[in-house]
Amino acid sequence: MSRILMVASEATPFATTGGLADVVGSLPAEISTNGHQVAVLIPRYGRAREAAARPVWTNLYIRVGSRVFNTSIYRAEDTPVPYYFLDYPPLYDRPGLYGDENGDFPDNPIRFGLLSRAALEVARYLFRADIFHCHDWQAGLVPAYLHNALNTDPTFTGCKTLTTIHNLGYRGLYHPGVLAELGLPAHLFRPDLLEFWGNVSFLKSGLVYADAINTVSPTYAREIQTAEFGEGLDGLLRARGAVLSGILNGADYSRWDPATDPFIAANYSADNPVPKRECKLALIREFGLPEAAMDRPLLGIVSRFTGQKGFDLIAGLANDLFNQDVYLVALGSGEPQYEGLFRWLAGQYPERVGLVIGYNEALSHRVEAGADIFLMPSRYEPCGLNQIYSLRYGTPPVVRATGGLEDTVDEETGFKFRDFSSWALMNAIREACAAWEDRKAWAKRMQIGMKRDFSWHRSAQSYSELYQRLLG
Ligand code: ADP
């Protein structure tokens, strides 16, 4: 039996900004049923203080560079595996995870450098680990510390590291001065090590030093080895291709199942889909759309509003789209440019577009349940969860054929387009709306999608196999 310490910046339900949190919230319990012992370490942010209220180690002094941090480790109650929280209020007791209204926190390199360094102390005192499973750039320095600062420490002899890339778009880039601040040797500032176009990249550390790398879908694992998707790291990823694999994320169906979902107007299932109409009616009322929308296709969007998600394409087809006699509800928040785009749409087509700007979990369930068709025109998508949820909710998705969207949606269950163009997206939406008119065939399509299984079980099995390979 192997012992795995996952290191990450988010985990549902304690701290969530996106799909990473869903993974770190769900995967550990599932992996532990495969005979591994798993624990998780995340920061004790302001919003996690209440849930992580029990201190299990106090006065844990951690030296990083020239500073010594007097930290504590807390634990949450009633979790299926131990969730540990790194407490150091001056760095983590803030409302935001990564920033505030002024942008990213300037001390993020030390916030996440300390997290990585603390993972090694947690492994020394609290939870012996055979494998450090590091998620994204925030945990990217764990392998660098192991290789450079602690390579002669017998506690860690034989320990392996796995870096999981949830999104290559976030590389954790900081000025070279942070190396000294982080207690890492200056000679790591080399193009074959941590240097990336004049900066230090935390993610690159995870890619250079980890014993294995994976990402969250087989297609994205291939794509990131190309210049188009590689974010400047494709050469390194090709060089490490022999240890790079793709493991699809799963969905947590205990939270995302229309048969039991407490947030939606009526529960329904593949064998009893009729109450979905009640969800649609409740949704159009909630978004203030006319009841005529009941007899037309209702498109749904739930997303972070960022360039990655491909909403630029919608700007180019608004006229065409609403000439189709369709309706749209959108829930999201993010970059001002995209919030502005959706505000413009809602202002331009008030009878057609319902918009809520914000992050609202309950409402995201109601959009999944009430919409007829889900839209994800992503520029790139490492895995994507919402298309998996929308399959289960009988809301066939229109997706761009990239990353996890390519791997989870097929002709039977949804609609795919390849070119990143408004024209290609519009064609796919047209196709979906035409298919919606054939009520019988549509019901069949919904049913096939609702029965597809993307549970964590399969992913956990793949991670178990990967851990076993790593430990030889
Ligand atoms: P990403 O991690 O790139 O944001 P994913 O599709 O993998 O995309 O995961 C997004 C997760 O975040 C889903 O669980 C989705 O429901 C949730 N989410 C995103 N935006 C919102 C929002 N505005 N309100 C509620 N939930 C949201």
Side-chain angles (χ1 to χ4, degrees):
M1 182 198 301
S2 45
R3 295 170 62 86
I4 318 298
L5 180 61
M6 290 205 186
V7 189
S9 58
E10 312 186 6
T12 303
F14 310 107
T16 305
T17 70
L20 164 67
D22 288 349
V23 176
V24 183
S26 302
L27 183 61
E30 198 65 50
I31 289 177
S32 71
T33 65
N34 285 356
H36 301 281
Q37 284 195 29
V38 187
V40 178
L41 177 69
I42 70 168
R44 189 165 179 246
Y45 302 109
R47 67 180 76 171
R49 294 182 77 77
E50 210 172 298
R54 181 159 68 92
V56 291
W57 199 278
T58 50
N59 296 323
L60 176 62
Y61 290 91
I62 301 175
R63 174 181 286 283
V64 179
S66 58
R67 292 168 72 184
V68 176
F69 296 85
N70 182 6
T71 70
S72 301
I73 305 294
Y74 282 69
R75 203 182 146 167
E77 302 294 347
D78 302 325
T79 50
V81 305
Y83 278 74
Y84 296 115
F85 295 77
L86 173 63
D87 190 49
Y88 188 74
L91 289 183
Y92 305 121
D93 185 8
R94 302 175 187 174
L97 269 55
Y98 309 116
D100 57 20
E101 62 283 357
N102 300 319
D104 284 354
F105 295 130
D107 54 0
N108 277 344
I110 193 66
R111 294 174 77 231
F112 295 106
L114 179 63
L115 174 70
S116 294
R117 190 62 189 75
L120 301 161
E121 298 312 311
V122 166
R124 190 193 302 281
Y125 297 118
L126 271 172
F127 183 90
R128 279 283 164 149
D130 302 310
I131 295 177
F132 292 91
H133 184 164
C134 312
H135 295 272
D136 271 350
W137 70 266
Q138 295 91 340
L141 291 189
V142 173
Y145 282 125
L146 266 179
H147 275 259
N148 293 286
L150 296 164
N151 50 345
T152 54
D153 188 327
T155 307
F156 304 109
T157 308
C159 282
K160 302 287 184 193
T161 49
L162 168 65
T163 293
T164 298
I165 305 169
H166 296 265
N167 191 333
L168 197 61
Y170 300 88
R171 290 158 301 189
L173 299 181
Y174 299 103
H175 63 90
V178 299
L179 279 179
E181 196 188 348
L182 293 165
L184 288 166
H187 69 78
L188 301 192
F189 194 68
R190 272 183 10 203
D192 57 331
L193 296 174
L194 271 57
E195 190 268 352
F196 183 82
W197 296 96
N199 282 306
V200 165
S201 163
F202 278 35
L203 181 64
K204 197 173 172 194
S205 151
L207 304 180
V208 167
Y209 286 114
D211 297 292
I213 303 167
N214 84 300
T215 182
V216 290
S217 69
T219 295
Y220 193 57
R222 285 192 296 277
E223 287 173 339
I224 56 176
Q225 298 181 58
T226 66
E228 185 185 351
F229 293 92
E231 305 280 353
L233 291 165
D234 45 296
L236 170 60
L237 289 163
R238 281 195 299 278
R240 302 230 59 204
V243 296
L244 168 60
S245 60
I247 298 177
L248 211 52
N249 282 339
D252 180 354
Y253 290 129
S254 70
R255 290 172 49 232
W256 291 95
D257 181 353
T260 54
D261 192 327
F263 297 120
I264 62 181
N267 291 115
Y268 60 95
S269 64
D271 298 322
N272 176 29
V274 176
K276 183 170 164 68
R277 271 188 77 77
E278 286 175 52
C279 297
K280 179 170 178 182
L281 184 59
L283 186 68
I284 61 177
R285 287 184 175 153
E286 189 168 1
F287 277 83
L289 290 174
E291 299 211 354
M294 282 306 286
D295 303 318
R296 300 299 310 156
L298 176 63
L299 311 180
I301 289 173
V302 177
S303 187
R304 290 183 298 118
F305 288 162
T306 68
Q308 174 200 338
K309 299 296 179 179
F311 297 123
D312 312 67
L313 299 185
I314 291 185
L317 55 71
N319 247 329
D320 264 8
L321 182 62
F322 296 112
N323 280 339
Q324 297 272 301
D325 197 8
V326 301
Y327 295 81
L328 171 69
V329 292
L331 164 66
S333 61
E335 293 169 18
Q337 163 188 3
Y338 296 101
E339 291 188 358
L341 167 64
F342 279 98
R343 283 207 177 88
W344 173 81
L345 271 179
Q348 203 73 6
Y349 305 94
E351 296 285 298
R352 295 276 168 190
V353 178
L355 172 66
V356 171
I357 300 272
Y359 193 97
N360 182 333
E361 185 181 349
L363 186 54
S364 73
H365 288 241
R366 292 197 284 277
V367 174
E368 288 286 4
D372 295 303
I373 296 166
F374 201 84
L375 281 191
M376 280 181 85
S378 306
R379 196 180 286 276
Y380 71 95
E381 195 61 73
C383 177
L385 291 169
N386 279 309
Q387 84 280 12
I388 297 177
Y389 302 150
S390 66
L391 290 174
R392 179 53 59 103
Y393 280 68
T395 311
V398 169
V399 303
R400 175 142 185 264
T402 181
L405 299 173
E406 168 79 329
D407 295 337
T408 53
V409 177
D410 59 43
E411 290 66 27
E412 271 190 313
T413 58
F415 305 86
K416 295 204 260 199
F417 65 100
R418 261 169 218 289
D419 278 357
F420 189 76
S421 69
S422 296
W423 182 84
L425 170 59
M426 193 60 228
N427 270 350
I429 294 176
R430 265 200 202 100
E431 196 193 333
C433 292
W436 179 90
E437 304 277 356
D438 180 347
R439 306 306 300 149
K440 230 170 126 191
W442 190 260
K444 181 84 195 141
R445 180 184 292 276
M446 283 171 53
Q447 195 184 40
I448 295 172
M450 292 176 86
K451 290 193 166 173
R452 286 282 154 86
D453 183 13
F454 293 100
S455 58
W456 277 110
H457 189 68
R458 218 175 24 178
S459 327
Q461 211 130 16
S462 304
Y463 277 103
S464 294
E465 286 160 20
L466 182 51
Y467 296 150
Q468 259 141 23
R469 277 205 302 279
L470 262 175
L471 294 172

